[in-house]
Amino acid sequence: MTLVDPVTARDEVLRVDGLHVGTQNLRLVSDVSFTLSAGERVGLIGESGSGKSLTAAAIMGLLPEGVHASGSVRLAGVGHDLVGASVRQLAAVHGAAMTMVFQEPMTALNPAMRVGDQVAEVMLLHGARPDRRAARAAGVELLAQVRLPDPGQLARAYPHQLSGGQRQRVMIAIALANGPSVLLADEPTTALDVTVQAQVLELILTGVAERGSALLFITHDLAVVATVCERVMVMYGGRVVEAGPVHEVFTRPQHPYTRGLLDASDLASADGRLRTIPGTVPAAGRFPAGCVFRNRCPSASDECDERPRWMERAGGGYACWHPVGAHA
Ligand SMILES: Nc1ncnc2c1ncn2[C@@H]1O[C@H](COP(=O)(O)OP(=O)(O)OP(=O)(O)O)[C@@H](O)[C@H]1O
Ligand code: SF4
Ligand SMILES: [Mg+2]
């Protein structure tokens, strides 16, 4: 797949089409479609439970037991769809063309293996280094690149001997080891001490920039999205309700939910008042049948009992019958 994105003029590296995720009884993510181009940084935001992590897990083919995906996930250079791919096909992609950094690195690292061996292993597995010795040396180099102190010594440590920030740096080294086309980062700094959050974010940004990787960045921090991302997707109730260039979406949001998120964020706290979006997020799979935001939306009308169509605008769009921009 070597399509060129008409908006960015860069090679498209990931195409997600009509992605649905659910259990036997619950629809958890519905009809998510987007593309990522080489080197592009895209934010994925939305309140807790909106479906961000499940979307990323479905793209990676790492859904929990009993949760299934349908639709299509195509990665450049991979000849088959990742939805429905075999364990073997997915293993060939993970750690190479597409990688992921999680909120809690301990869950992704092998507790019984020295961290240097874990970095070397991923290089050996995907052929980036032909032998164990060369892979070990390259692994130590990579640990130095993610600015771990005394990387030669640290390579011999086990994950539990490291701090949370150091473990996340190891995870980032593993994720970047083979120069992925796509890096999915799911709240990679949330669990870390505030003093190291900015450093870890900087490592991710430098790492993807040097490798030309596309970044899908899941976060609750809208200020970070405003600073580091070019595009943003806003999720609610398992659906993308608005998407587009960050500047456009953050300065002229069309969806009442995006408006609410911005009002509740630090970006809009100039008057010092903390706000939240009124109402509570329905339980998984219990969102209204029409517009998913219907029971919390200040602009709702009878029309909203029907699912809103996706309205295209400036490099993105939104799904709302009464966009806020229309009566702003
Ligand atoms: N294995 C599962 N079985 C059933 N429901 C699940 C499962 N995993 C997640 N869910 C539900 O799917 C919804 C979306 O979950 P997801 O973890 O994607 O949210 P999120 O947007 O990442 O939230 P957060 O910001 O808190 O990380 C939630 O309501 C969650 O309870
Ligand atoms: S479609 Fe209706 S309920 Fe949904 S966000 Fe728009 S105005 Fe609100
Ligand atoms: Mg999550």
Side-chain angles (χ1 to χ4, degrees), residues 14-79:
L14 180 75
R15 175 168 286 262
V16 176
D17 236 332
L19 183 69
H20 293 263
V21 181
T23 64
Q24 211 173 7
N25 308 312
L26 300 172
R27 272 175 162 247
L28 300 171
V29 170
S30 304
D31 204 17
V32 169
S33 298
F34 67 94
T35 61
L36 291 182
S37 303
E40 197 181 20
R41 298 178 304 275
V42 176
L44 180 56
I45 59 173
E47 284 166 298
S48 200
S50 56
K52 307 179 297 295
S53 294
L54 279 180
T55 299
I59 292 169
M60 284 294 281
L62 290 175
L63 286 170
E65 190 74 27
V67 182
H68 306 284
S70 63
S72 169
V73 174
R74 302 299 302 245
L75 190 62
V78 176

Side-chain angles (χ1 to χ4, degrees), residues 84-144:
S86 67
V87 173
R88 201 156 152 245
Q89 285 174 322
L90 288 172
V93 167
H94 296 164
M98 187 158 66
T99 56
M100 186 157 175
V101 179
F102 302 89
Q103 182 172 329
E104 180 38 76
M106 206 58 188
T107 55
L109 290 170
N110 182 342
M113 199 172 169
R114 295 178 199 276
V115 295
D117 289 344
Q118 298 193 46
V119 183
E121 187 81 3
V122 79
M123 287 174 149
L124 269 174
L125 264 177
H126 298 283
R129 288 291 182 280
D131 64 79
R132 191 161 287 278
R133 218 188 142 107
R136 276 225 176 94
V140 171
E141 216 172 279
L142 208 51
L143 292 177

Side-chain angles (χ1 to χ4, degrees), residues 52-53 186-187 218:
K52 307 179 297 295
S53 294
D186 189 356
E187 300 195 53
I218 298 175

Side-chain angles (χ1 to χ4, degrees), residues 165 209 280:
T280 47

Side-chain angles (χ1 to χ4, degrees), residues 68-234:
H68 306 284
S70 63
S72 169
V73 174
R74 302 299 302 245
L75 190 62
V78 176
H80 56 81
D81 205 308
L82 298 184
V83 173
S86 67
V87 173
R88 201 156 152 245
Q89 285 174 322
L90 288 172
V93 167
H94 296 164
M98 187 158 66
T99 56
M100 186 157 175
V101 179
F102 302 89
Q103 182 172 329
E104 180 38 76
M106 206 58 188
T107 55
L109 290 170
N110 182 342
M113 199 172 169
R114 295 178 199 276
V115 295
D117 289 344
Q118 298 193 46
V119 183
E121 187 81 3
V122 79
M123 287 174 149
L124 269 174
L125 264 177
H126 298 283
R129 288 291 182 280
D131 64 79
R132 191 161 287 278
R133 218 188 142 107
R136 276 225 176 94
V140 171
E141 216 172 279
L142 208 51
L143 292 177
Q145 266 181 38
V146 293
R147 297 196 213 110
L148 280 161
D150 197 356
Q153 182 68 28
L154 193 132
R156 288 193 281 276
Y158 291 93
H160 74 268
Q161 295 173 306
L162 308 183
S163 70
Q166 288 177 328
R167 281 197 288 266
Q168 195 60 298
R169 284 167 199 261
V170 172
M171 229 14 262
I172 292 165
I174 291 173
L176 295 172
N178 293 314
S181 322
V182 176
L183 175 67
L184 309 177
D186 189 356
E187 300 195 53
T189 64
T190 311
L192 303 179
D193 196 293
V194 280
T195 55
V196 298
Q197 287 187 352
Q199 296 163 12
V200 167
L201 177 62
E202 185 60 36
L203 281 178
I204 294 174
L205 296 175
T206 312
V208 293
E210 284 172 359
R211 290 159 180 83
S213 318
L215 174 69
L216 182 69
F217 189 67
I218 298 175
T219 181
H220 287 269
D221 192 334
L222 273 56
V224 168
V225 171
T227 316
V228 310
C229 295
E230 295 149 322
R231 278 197 294 133
V232 63
M233 296 187 289
V234 184

